[in-house]
Amino acid sequence: MYKKYCSDLASQSASQSGKSNTQEKMSDLPELWKKLSEGESKSLLKKHCTKEVYEKLKDKKSKLGGTLADCIRSGALNLNSGVGVYACDPEGYEVFKELLDPVIMDYHKVDKVEHPPCDFGPQDKLGFDPLDATGEFIVSTRVRVGRSHEGYPFPPVSTDEQRKDMENKTIAALNTLEGELKGKYYSLETMTPEENQQLIDDHFMFKNDDKMLGDAGGYNGWPKARGIFFNDNKTFLCWINEEDHLRFISMQKGGDVGEVYKRLVSAIKQLEKKLTFAYSKRHGYLTFCPTNLGTTLRASVHIKVPKLAKNEEVLNKICADNKLQPRGIHGEHTESVGGVYDISNKRRLGLTEYQAMQEMYNGIKEIIQAEKNAK
Ligand code: ADP
Ligand code: ARG
């Protein structure tokens, strides 16, 4: 299945040469709509893309050439999607708002699409007390944010040239980092398959095996203009042209959430002096997928909870009550291994960065307590 997907991907990107062709893509809209409207799906796309919404949006286009087809392609081709929608470009969030607003409100559980100004928390106490002082439960901690370059489209509309341009800009900015954050860029175009696999196995590097992202255009032109930057001890990383133009990541072994968070905030503050990110007052930072908007922040721990793992229903309930999302340890759509889960904050929009961190921190505290109490 995975091999077949990769070979489909190779022929697709060879034939496309990573160029967007809006005309051609416009023309697959009726077919996508047929699949979506006639198929069964529990996705937010199916729920909110009513006939009325479709009719209203079907002929609209963003300034960069994004269409409704670009927004719904993944969810129409993958009826098993949970969300199923991606934005064509930053402006797409307004052009296609009759679809995107209800999807955003539904996912982030808010009554209105609005977002507070960026706030990383009180300067003097960005730290958090140790979550797991004995190191019994937390294997590692990771906090990431997504960012998009202002003025550039998202993957289905981007050309190879635009991706290259964004890669060059980002490398130039990353190369100005100093001290602990200073590092080097490793291009996916020149990395050996062994180096790539090792980085994936160690949880640092992204893959290209997500069919939903692939169908959204996320792997167009792969592996061109993709790569990873990291510092010597791999505690600060930047993904270039994975799902988002940019993902800034801070991670380390153990449960020192404060140290991980402070490092990320310091990197963001330095990089935003060199780069301009797509931002809207209503949505916060704009990303390809509506699930990542706003703070774009996902703070996770890999946590060992063997007792709770025996009763996933209980674990899932604690997660839901605390607005947390459990994942497997090899990333989204993977399973837990040996009672270890990736657990993170679920909400990213409608709250500040600091509040998103607190949601994760307080929820994980409860999970540790529940594991201690479990038989
Ligand atoms: P994201 O959407 O945040 O990029 P993914 O679920 O795609 O997350 O995971 C990306 C990679 O990060 C995977 O290799 C995953 O195992 C790794 N990862 C996520 N959280 C942690 C963590 N707390 N510690 C170590 N690795 C992690
Ligand atoms: N499009 C996928 C779905 O609808 C993933 C959504 C969230 N994940 C992401 N990586 N953006 O289920």
Side-chain angles (χ1 to χ4, degrees), residues 93-116:
Y93 280 105
E94 291 300 336
V95 177
F96 301 105
K97 69 166 183 274
E98 285 80 359
L99 169 62
L100 282 152
D101 273 11
V103 167
I104 293 167
M105 290 190 283
D106 205 332
Y107 179 86
H108 295 274
K109 307 287 172 231
V110 288
D111 304 327
K112 246 193 192 171
V113 179
E114 57 181 19
H115 188 69

Side-chain angles (χ1 to χ4, degrees), residues 150-340:
E150 193 180 70
Y152 288 83
F154 294 145
V157 185
S158 261
T159 62
D160 280 356
E161 291 72 28
Q162 285 171 316
R163 272 185 277 273
K164 209 21 136 187
D165 213 27
M166 291 190 273
E167 183 191 37
N168 288 336
K169 270 184 179 198
T170 313
I171 297 170
L174 289 167
N175 282 340
T176 65
L177 293 174
E178 287 179 354
E180 191 200 3
L181 301 174
K182 189 175 165 60
K184 208 176 144 219
Y185 181 63
Y186 302 83
S187 161
L188 201 54
E189 294 176 61
T190 52
M191 198 181 283
T192 66
E194 293 73 27
E195 285 165 338
N196 187 13
Q197 193 55 49
Q198 191 61 55
L199 287 170
I200 292 172
D201 292 345
D202 293 342
H203 304 286
F204 296 123
M205 185 59 179
F206 52 88
K207 303 173 269 190
N208 66 342
D209 62 352
D210 177 349
K211 183 171 181 317
M212 292 170 193
L213 180 57
D215 285 338
Y219 304 143
N220 288 355
W222 186 278
K224 284 185 222 154
R226 266 75 176 199
I228 183 169
F229 170 97
F230 50 80
N231 62 355
D232 286 345
N233 42 11
K234 299 199 188 87
T235 52
F236 171 69
L237 306 93
C238 174
W239 289 357
I240 298 187
N241 289 323
E242 188 250 359
E243 172 172 331
D244 284 312
H245 298 162
L246 295 161
R247 287 274 173 99
F248 300 138
I249 301 159
S250 172
M251 63 196 283
Q252 69 191 46
K253 296 269 179 227
D256 195 337
V257 179
E259 195 167 295
V260 173
Y261 181 54
K262 272 195 246 174
R263 184 185 305 116
L264 182 71
V265 172
S266 155
I268 298 171
K269 287 193 168 163
Q270 293 185 50
L271 290 164
E272 67 192 4
K273 290 188 192 138
K274 310 278 171 191
L275 299 166
T276 312
F277 303 127
Y279 179 86
S280 115
K281 205 161 170 247
R282 236 161 52 83
H283 305 89
Y285 289 100
L286 299 165
T287 49
F288 186 22
C289 181
T291 62
N292 280 321
L293 288 171
T295 61
T296 73
L297 186 144
R298 191 173 88 87
S300 67
V301 288
H302 274 183
I303 185 167
K304 223 182 308 169
V305 282
K307 290 184 196 152
L308 291 177
K310 287 193 206 133
N311 191 346
E312 280 199 344
E313 243 171 67
V314 174
L315 179 63
N316 289 338
K317 179 163 182 341
I318 306 175
C319 285
D321 291 347
N322 287 281
K323 303 191 180 75
L324 297 176
Q325 180 187 55
R327 294 184 179 184
I329 55 161
H330 295 291
E332 204 177 10
H333 313 309
T334 64
E335 296 298 319
S336 154
V337 179
V340 183

